[in-house]
Amino acid sequence: MSAWLSRALDLSRARGFLGPQPIEVQFTHAEGFAHIWDRVGVGIPRNTLDLGSGGGVPGLALLDIWHSPVTMLDAMEKRTTFLREVLLWDDSPTGGEVITGRAEDVARNPQYLENFELVVARSFAPPAVVAECASRFLEMEGFLIVSEPPEETSSRWNHGVLEHLGLTDVGLFRSTANFRVIKKIAPTPEEFPRSTGIPGKRPLF
């Protein structure tokens, strides 16, 4: 972990954007996303989207590890203001982008439509919402990596709905935590994601 990332995560925790766990523990969890990518991807991802980046984990950590473009999306302006602040520090890596907005809305922006080789989600939303929102961001053959609970079982994910969204469940992988890996194998139907707030209010599974 670089000095820049250590300072950024310390500040994030001080402002209440990260939990109380030691920074080293939170970084280790973020490293798990990179470890899983090494098992399913090829080389460093061309670009990455962090859904619900919040205090910058795993987005800032992956930017620090890979030094390849990472876009951090969050609906709360105070969090995205913080992310932009630390990306302006003199020793910050290049390639970080921050978007303030709801995933359902941003997914309709042609600039981001089916644009990402990798989408990551740490604590963004329940599985149905993660899958629906991530599906249109992913390029064909791209991967979604989701942090899962320690007791995770495959029953959290509905394979039939995933298939309808153009996705397939690659499986559960263990690294610094449990991670679900999902791959985009077909175009996502035009109606997804549904309007803002609907995926959470009326989840697909």
Side-chain angles (χ1 to χ4, degrees):
M1 178 167 42
S2 71
W4 166 78
L5 182 61
S6 179
R7 288 191 295 122
L9 296 185
D10 275 334
L11 180 59
S12 181
R13 187 174 60 176
R15 293 187 181 179
F17 302 146
L18 290 179
Q21 301 93 341
I23 292 303
E24 293 76 12
V25 172
Q26 303 200 50
F27 174 71
T28 297
H29 183 273
E31 278 188 309
F33 287 91
H35 296 161
I36 300 305
W37 171 261
D38 287 342
R39 294 163 65 178
V40 301
V42 178
I44 294 174
R46 178 177 58 81
N47 58 8
T48 301
L49 173 68
D50 182 9
L51 275 180
S53 193
V57 176
L60 293 178
L62 295 177
L63 179 65
D64 192 58
I65 292 168
W66 284 327
H67 287 255
S68 74
V70 175
T71 298
M72 288 160 274
L73 170 64
D74 200 276
M76 295 188 66
E77 189 169 356
K78 64 180 181 179
R79 293 175 177 172
T80 55
T81 296
F82 158 75
L83 294 170
R84 292 187 180 98
E85 176 185 339
V86 300
L87 289 174
L88 290 174
W89 292 351
D90 289 342
D91 55 346
S92 69
T94 60
E97 180 185 5
V98 180
I99 303 172
T100 305
R102 293 287 298 246
E104 302 97 316
D105 296 330
V106 179
R108 296 289 177 181
N109 185 326
Q111 181 178 352
Y112 304 109
L113 179 65
E114 297 185 333
N115 182 60
F116 293 94
E117 185 175 13
L118 173 63
V119 175
V120 296
R122 181 187 182 217
S123 56
F124 173 66
V129 181
V130 174
E132 182 172 351
C133 290
S135 59
R136 291 195 73 82
F137 286 112
L138 282 168
E139 65 182 28
M140 200 63 65
E141 304 296 316
F143 287 94
L144 166 65
I145 301 178
V146 185
S147 177
E148 292 278 62
E151 70 282 1
E152 197 279 334
T153 67
S154 59
S155 62
R156 278 169 46 89
W157 299 87
N158 184 305
H159 292 184
V161 173
L162 291 179
E163 182 178 354
H164 184 58
L165 292 170
L167 308 173
T168 188
D169 183 4
V170 177
L172 181 69
F173 291 72
R174 177 74 186 177
S175 176
T176 59
N178 284 337
F179 295 89
R180 177 68 53 183
V181 177
I182 292 169
K183 187 176 184 179
K184 183 161 184 174
I185 58 171
T188 300
E190 180 64 30
E191 64 264 30
F192 300 113
R194 292 167 292 168
S195 300
T196 298
I198 299 301
K201 292 176 183 176
R202 298 204 298 268
L204 295 173
F205 57 87

